[in-house]
Amino acid sequence: MSGIFYITTPIYYVNAEPHIGHAYTTIVADTFNRFNILRGMDSFFLTGTDEHGDKIAEAAKANGVSPKDYVDKISQKFRDTWPTLMISNDYFIRTTDPEHVATVQRILDLVNNKGDIYFSEYEGKYCVGCERFYSDRELADGKCPDHLKEPEIRKESNYFFRMSRYQDWLIDHIKKNPDFIRPERYKNEVLAFLREPLEDLCISRPKTRLSWGITLPFDENFVTYVWFDALINYISAIGYPEEPAFQKYWPHAQHLIAKDILKPHGIYWPCMLKSAGVEPYRHLNVHGYWNINKNKMSKSVGSVVRPLDLVGVYGVDAFRFFLMREMTFGLDSDFSEEALVSRINSDLANDLGNLVSRSISMILKYYNGDLPVSGKLSDSDNRLRDHAVSVIDSYESFMSGTEFHKALMAVWEIVSGLNKYIDEQQPWVLAKNDHDRLATVMFHIYQGLRIVSALIWPVMPGAAETIQKQLKLPVTGSKLTLDILRKWGADKPVGTLEKSPNLFPRVELENKQSPAVDTPCKKAIDPIKPLIDFETFQKVDLRVGTVLSAEPIPKSKKLLKLTVDLGENEPRIIVAGIAEKISPDDIISRQITVVANLEPVKLMGVESHGMVLAASHDKSFSLIVPASAITSGSSIR
Ligand code: MSP
């Protein structure tokens, strides 16, 4: 199959570090993208960060840095996280990119020239968390349903986008294109909203209140409302309007979001596009929320699940599989480490891992790893083949309809079918008395595994490619398309099969503690960060320092202010977050390890000129110190 596919994730706010919710959407997008690559599609996958607005400006202020420095740092964390989760986006957009800024201004001019923007005074209820005004009927008991806070009353003169003009068109478009917003419950939610008259959208903020944003091209006293800016990323990233990529991909655009941002995507965005004379996107795919112990994930109660912690313990393939298999797309799911471990042990270790290792061991044992040619087929061989090939079709239809968990259930039918086939055919008995039959059975197991390995690739690219390598398949990874796969027996191994170590060892949950506590899993040690090259490492200047004095910082539980001799003309002030771990008296006169070339940063009003190194795990803590006394300032290599 040929065709074009364009998938986007929301661009994430840079006021928080990546958590399991962001990871889920981006893994779904990656899976969806890889699936379309397997279908032979020309695909483009976009993600990025949303960097303007009140929230970001406030977070930067709270961290004592400029908005630009702040967004650079957190955006980089998102960018670094995705490869660790085997996410292969084609482009990463930032709303502070000059090309994006220019496109937003261009669209604003276009919409303004069309007469769709006017200036007016507005008083309304504004949720700072959501960065938008709320109408009374959208509030729950007078509070924002997401942030559970009463909105502020704000009165301002601002620019408005005549969204109301497009209400009838939008209703009509949704009705004529029943899969424009899917699953159906979210389409119904948008239609229900559109039953009431649509209010115009306030699209500016006066610079007197907020300057961190894109200046309106027709009034430099105002910046653009963050949502009007952010949504445009989906077209600016692919070079709206003249770039060939825009012409090619936009007609096939599919957005992926969670239910929290349905209104901006289901209502504002199509109206904005219509006003700008751009065709609407093809599909808005909306998923539910991951909750932790039935509650919303929350920083304040320490229930934020950090994906990298889990990947460090359980492996990226298992983590991706769990997310894709456990959640019914569109509905909420509850995350627990117990559920993750149970899926790993049953679906991955028992079913798939076991199937691969027993199958390859038999081909090695009976044929020294050289796949035999099939003999005469029995009914059970035909059934096995017909079923496996038919699953490719149902898999394709589930995957393209965003029913990912059903697609995986279908693949696991092949896995259990193969395990059952082995149990029934008993190759170990055939090896003693029926070599023709043994060859046919081993050939069929191999073909079944080939299909399984390709169908799991979008979800578990690492494990899939390991299996394909062990099977010595001539085409692997993204090259093994569904069309090739449908030809049973088309691929013969190139060379001798490789021994298969246990792909998914069973895991024991050491401590039945839920991840809803800040250290998500008892066994989790900090995961290894992405590789850096030697040159980057050499830039870090590590030195031995001697602590001359130490004192707590008023109003801070965590920080100690240290005066440290680094062999320089004057001692340095270093602020270290170790007050809960070590008392000032216990650190004075000790030699410590210091990162000496970190940019200074202000912490609780004190400027810190370096960082103290220490190791920690759970509640244990240990300063990193030289094994014997050495001159202060000695460099560590
Ligand atoms: N910046 C806006 C989006 C602008 S898009 C033009 C924004 N950012 S966000 O950082 O808050 O990300 C929201 C998205 O993160 C959700 O729509 C969803 O994709 C993901 N998730 C955040 N928490 C989640 C869960 N608990 N569960 C599942 N996904 C969630 O909104």
Side-chain angles (χ1 to χ4, degrees):
M1 179 173 183
S2 62
I4 295 166
F5 178 74
Y6 174 33
I7 186 77
T8 70
T9 73
I11 46 171
Y12 304 110
Y13 285 131
V14 288
N15 62 343
E17 296 192 8
H19 58 56
I20 195 169
H22 307 127
Y24 174 70
T25 314
T26 320
I27 287 171
V28 173
D30 186 68
T31 299
F32 208 8
N33 189 48
R34 286 176 190 266
F35 157 69
N36 280 289
I37 292 173
L38 278 194
R39 295 170 100 191
M41 302 271 221
D42 175 344
S43 79
F44 195 85
F45 167 18
L46 173 72
T47 188
T49 42
D50 189 355
E51 306 188 0
H52 291 126
D54 284 330
K55 267 201 257 193
I56 312 297
E58 277 168 21
K61 202 162 146 202
N63 281 275
V65 290
S66 72
K68 179 75 176 97
D69 286 350
Y70 180 74
V71 298
D72 283 351
K73 184 172 146 211
I74 309 282
S75 174
Q76 192 59 42
K77 288 203 176 173
F78 277 91
R79 209 187 264 255
D80 289 344
T81 297
W82 300 147
T84 325
L85 299 179
M86 288 201 147
I87 287 163
S88 300
N89 47 301
D90 293 297
Y91 191 64
F92 189 98
I93 187 162
R94 302 180 55 187
T95 52
T96 48
D97 291 340
E99 297 81 5
H100 172 77
V101 172
T103 307
V104 170
Q105 291 179 327
R106 185 168 181 163
I107 300 262
L108 279 163
D109 268 337
L110 217 115
V111 174
N112 190 31
N113 292 339
K114 198 169 174 192
D116 278 349
I117 290 180
Y118 61 92
F119 192 63
S120 168
E121 184 167 86
Y122 182 79
E123 181 176 281
K125 296 180 178 166
Y126 187 86
C127 172
V128 179
C130 297
E131 309 220 27
R132 71 172 177 95
F133 286 99
Y134 268 84
S135 65
D136 283 337
R137 74 191 159 98
E138 286 180 280
L139 299 172
D141 293 331
K143 292 182 179 164
C144 160
D146 262 348
H147 294 91
L148 306 175
K149 269 194 191 161
E150 275 188 25
E152 296 171 9
I153 300 290
R154 285 199 180 176
K155 186 176 180 177
E156 265 173 14
S157 286
N158 265 312
Y159 287 89
F160 287 81
F161 167 51
R162 278 186 216 285
M163 204 154 69
S164 49
R165 247 188 199 175
Y166 299 100
Q167 175 157 11
D168 291 342
W169 164 80
L170 182 56
I171 296 173
D172 193 50
H173 184 80
I174 296 174
K175 288 191 173 158
K176 280 192 186 136
N177 299 276
D179 58 0
F180 182 59
I181 300 175
R182 58 188 187 179
E184 196 165 5
R185 55 196 291 135
Y186 297 110
K187 173 184 93 173
N188 294 338
E189 212 174 287
V190 169
L191 282 175
F193 199 87
L194 288 169
R195 258 179 237 131
E196 307 286 329
L198 204 52
E199 283 174 20
D200 289 340
L201 182 68
C202 175
I203 54 146
S204 66
R205 298 289 177 265
K207 279 196 183 164
T208 45
R209 181 157 68 75
L210 172 77
S211 59
W212 182 240
I214 300 179
T215 300
L216 291 186
F218 41 82
D219 190 340
E220 61 174 29
N221 297 315
F222 289 84
V223 292
T224 312
Y225 168 46
V226 66
W227 270 106
F228 200 95
D229 155 0
L231 288 160
I232 291 173
N233 91 85
Y234 300 133
I235 57 173
S236 69
I238 49 171
Y240 163 88
E242 33 309 84
E243 294 292 326
F246 173 74
Q247 310 292 342
K248 173 163 143 190
Y249 292 114
W250 181 249
H252 307 276
Q254 298 206 30
H255 300 311
L256 188 62
I257 58 165
K259 59 183 187 177
D260 56 333
I261 50 177
L262 176 61
K263 194 174 165 194
H265 284 83
I267 297 179
Y268 307 174
W269 182 222
C271 294
M272 285 165 63
L273 287 166
K274 185 72 185 163
S275 171
V278 181
E279 278 302 298
Y281 50 79
R282 273 292 296 127
H283 296 293
L284 178 63
N285 304 300
V286 190
H287 65 75
Y289 249 48
W290 282 99
N291 294 323
I292 312 297
N293 294 334
K294 314 261 184 290
N295 290 312
K296 261 191 94 165
M297 216 178 340
S298 151
K299 220 175 179 177
S300 51
V301 296
S303 65
V304 174
V305 178
R306 293 178 299 258
L308 295 188
D309 286 6
L310 294 163
V311 165
V313 176
Y314 299 105
V316 60
D317 285 305
F319 177 64
R320 287 173 60 118
F321 174 78
F322 171 76
L323 295 181
M324 298 303 299
R325 173 65 185 82
E326 196 75 6
M327 186 177 253
T328 301
F329 192 87
L331 303 180
D332 289 353
S333 268
D334 205 45
F335 178 86
S336 79
E337 212 172 339
E338 282 86 350
L340 168 64
V341 166
S342 142
R343 278 260 171 244
I344 293 177
N345 287 341
S346 63
D347 294 8
L348 297 181
N350 275 5
D351 297 347
L352 178 63
N354 199 16
L355 169 68
V356 175
S357 65
R358 75 202 284 218
S359 306
I360 293 184
S361 311
M362 287 189 288
I363 301 175
L364 284 169
K365 183 168 173 196
Y366 303 135
Y367 296 97
N368 288 327
D370 289 327
L371 186 70
V373 178
S374 173
K376 207 165 134 259
L377 303 191
S378 72
D379 284 352
S380 48
D381 309 328
N382 285 327
R383 264 199 309 276
L384 182 89
R385 180 200 58 214
D386 292 348
H387 174 250
V389 173
S390 76
V391 163
I392 303 176
D393 291 339
S394 41
Y395 168 91
E396 192 171 5
S397 122
F398 287 136
M399 290 289 276
S400 30
T402 70
E403 294 188 287
F404 306 107
H405 75 293
K406 284 196 186 160
L408 285 171
M409 283 161 76
V411 178
W412 255 251
E413 276 175 23
I414 311 183
V415 171
S416 47
L418 281 164
N419 273 325
K420 198 162 153 239
Y421 177 79
I422 296 175
D423 295 343
E424 282 170 5
Q425 300 298 322
Q426 301 188 314
W428 47 94
V429 175
L430 299 177
K432 289 185 196 138
N433 58 23
D434 191 343
H435 281 253
D436 278 355
R437 188 73 205 125
L438 178 68
T440 307
V441 167
M442 295 322 297
F443 178 86
H444 278 71
I445 296 171
Y446 181 90
Q447 298 305 329
L449 277 181
R450 168 180 172 267
I451 290 185
V452 169
S453 76
L455 299 187
I456 62 170
W457 183 76
V459 177
M460 296 191 283
E465 286 177 31
T466 305
I467 298 171
Q468 292 172 344
K469 196 167 153 266
Q470 291 163 353
L471 292 176
K472 284 281 175 339
L473 285 177
V475 268
T476 59
S478 61
K479 309 244 161 37
L480 186 43
T481 62
L482 295 188
D483 285 343
I484 305 180
L485 204 62
R486 285 193 170 91
K487 295 179 191 121
W488 183 263
D491 288 343
K492 310 267 175 316
V494 279
T496 307
L497 270 52
E498 268 177 32
K499 193 168 163 41
S500 175
N502 203 346
L503 269 178
F504 299 105
R506 282 185 69 81
V507 219
E508 299 303 330
L509 196 60
E510 258 180 17
N511 181 319
K512 293 250 182 256
Q513 183 184 19
S514 126
V517 282
D518 200 28
T519 40
C521 35
K522 211 41 187 141
K523 289 198 317 178
I525 49 169
D526 284 346
I528 305 293
K529 296 187 173 128
L531 294 181
I532 53 169
D533 57 22
F534 184 61
E535 219 174 289
T536 310
F537 171 70
Q538 268 189 320
K539 290 184 187 154
V540 184
D541 193 353
L542 293 173
R543 304 221 167 223
V544 174
T546 306
V547 181
L548 304 177
S549 71
E551 58 187 87
I553 292 186
K555 293 201 189 131
S556 167
K557 275 201 285 187
K558 291 195 173 152
L559 300 179
L560 279 189
K561 178 179 163 189
L562 309 177
T563 315
V564 181
D565 177 11
L566 275 182
E568 298 166 308
N569 289 342
E570 283 189 12
R572 287 198 193 196
I573 301 297
I574 297 181
V575 178
I578 54 177
E580 290 170 318
K581 309 290 182 191
I582 189 163
S583 74
D585 286 348
D586 286 337
I587 196 168
I588 291 177
S589 310
R590 287 183 74 172
Q591 289 210 300
I592 54 173
T593 311
V594 171
V595 181
N597 62 337
L598 262 191
E599 278 182 8
V601 55
K602 227 178 203 173
L603 297 165
M604 298 293 282
V606 183
E607 194 160 78
S608 177
H609 296 264
M611 183 192 268
V612 175
L613 293 190
S616 68
H617 179 58
D618 287 345
K619 292 205 167 95
S620 39
F621 169 86
S622 176
L623 278 175
I624 307 295
V625 297
S628 57
I630 188 161
T631 311
S632 296
S634 300
S635 103
I636 299 172
R637 294 204 187 88

